[in-house]
Amino acid sequence: ETGVTQSPTHLIKTRGQQVTLRCSSQSGHNTVSWYQQALGQGPQFIFQYYREEENGRGNFSPRFSGLQFPNYSSELNVNALELDDSALYLCASSLVLAGAETQYFGPGTRLLVL
Amino acid sequence: AQKITQTQPGMFVQEKEAVTLDCTYDTSDPSYGLFWYKQPSSGEMIFLIYQGSYDQQNATEGRYSLNFQKARKSANLVISASQLGDSAMYFCAMREENYGGATNKLIFGTGTLLAVQP
């Protein structure tokens, strides 16, 4: 039990729609990262938020955007969904003080785009 | 560019035996961290063990140990006394340092599926 929760657990959308995925970080953690894991692959870094500011981004389309809130919960938004967006989306929280720290993952949201 | 390679797509091990999962990495950064995560079919990534590039000793956490060979750029996970509940996907990951401030970005390998047989 990592203390990181995600909602919803599963989601089905159609091409062109928009989706919002939510994550609640472990209490006190100031950093949240989002990853996309396609079937049979390792997770790929989408972006990271630190104290409500985007603090790094992977090689993902601008269709992917995010928010982090003062209570350390966060959202991942994907616009104009494409079939290839079907994946498991994982959020991970960590407490970054003097340096980077271990990331703790939530259970993920499985998104299917039809 | 940083890269993690896991060459074993799948492994079998008998219950109570030890198993080694291979991981090699590539980086030009002198400071980095190496992680192993376990992913059951439920999807959650469970943190197992961490090794810093400057750590002199191999990391251990209960039945998990990390065989860190810096010169060979390998960070193999050893699971001792395997249990049925160890059956899962295992990912090796590296923390990329000095990534424009995103010091917590993880780069993952493709994973190894471990099946523990009774």
Side-chain angles (χ1 to χ4, degrees), chain A residues 37 48 55 57 94 100-101 103, chain B residues 37 39 99 101-102 104 106:
Chain A
Q37 185 177 16
Q48 177 182 274
N55 192 35
R57 189 178 184 91
S94 55
E101 299 292 341
Q103 295 186 42
Chain B
Y37 284 86
Q39 187 177 43
Y99 172 71
N104 245 5
L106 289 175

Side-chain angles (χ1 to χ4, degrees), chain A residues 1-2 31 33 35 37 40-43 45 48 55-58 88 90 94 96 100-107 110, chain B residues 35 37 39-47 50 89 91 95 97 99-110:
Chain A
E1 187 67 39
T2 64
T31 301
S33 302
Y35 293 82
Q37 185 177 16
Q41 298 182 21
F45 176 76
Q48 177 182 274
N55 192 35
R57 189 178 184 91
L88 176 67
L90 296 161
S94 55
V96 178
E101 299 292 341
T102 297
Q103 295 186 42
Y104 295 93
F105 285 80
R110 295 187 187 275
Chain B
F35 299 78
Y37 284 86
Q39 187 177 43
S41 56
S42 59
E44 184 171 354
M45 299 286 279
I46 301 168
F47 166 70
Y50 164 80
M89 198 75 170
F91 288 95
R95 181 176 61 214
E97 304 286 340
Y99 172 71
T103 57
N104 245 5
K105 171 184 177 179
L106 289 175
I107 298 165
F108 286 84
T110 52

Side-chain angles (χ1 to χ4, degrees), chain B residues 4-29:
Chain B
I4 293 284
T5 301
Q6 294 180 255
T7 58
Q8 304 157 312
M11 291 278 288
F12 286 98
V13 65
Q14 291 295 122
E15 196 177 5
K16 300 181 184 178
E17 292 186 349
V19 62
T20 297
L21 306 183
D22 294 341
C23 172
T24 58
Y25 60 92
D26 188 20
T27 181
S28 57
D29 195 329

Side-chain angles (χ1 to χ4, degrees), chain A residues 16-85:
Chain A
Q17 285 188 312
Q18 178 267 343
V19 69
T20 297
L21 311 182
R22 294 180 173 83
C23 172
S24 178
S25 298
Q26 191 175 121
S27 178
H29 280 189
N30 56 12
T31 301
V32 64
S33 302
W34 285 90
Y35 293 82
Q36 180 195 65
Q37 185 177 16
L39 196 62
Q41 298 182 21
Q44 299 289 317
F45 176 76
I46 303 175
F47 45 55
Q48 177 182 274
Y49 279 79
Y50 172 69
R51 293 185 175 178
E52 302 170 54
E53 297 280 338
E54 186 176 294
N55 192 35
R57 189 178 184 91
N59 188 25
F60 275 82
S61 160
R63 297 185 297 107
F64 290 77
S65 63
L67 287 171
Q68 184 187 29
F69 301 101
N71 64 355
Y72 302 126
S73 64
S74 65
E75 289 180 356
L76 164 66
N77 298 288
V78 187
N79 294 321
L81 283 167
E82 301 175 358
L83 297 180
D84 285 349
D85 295 332

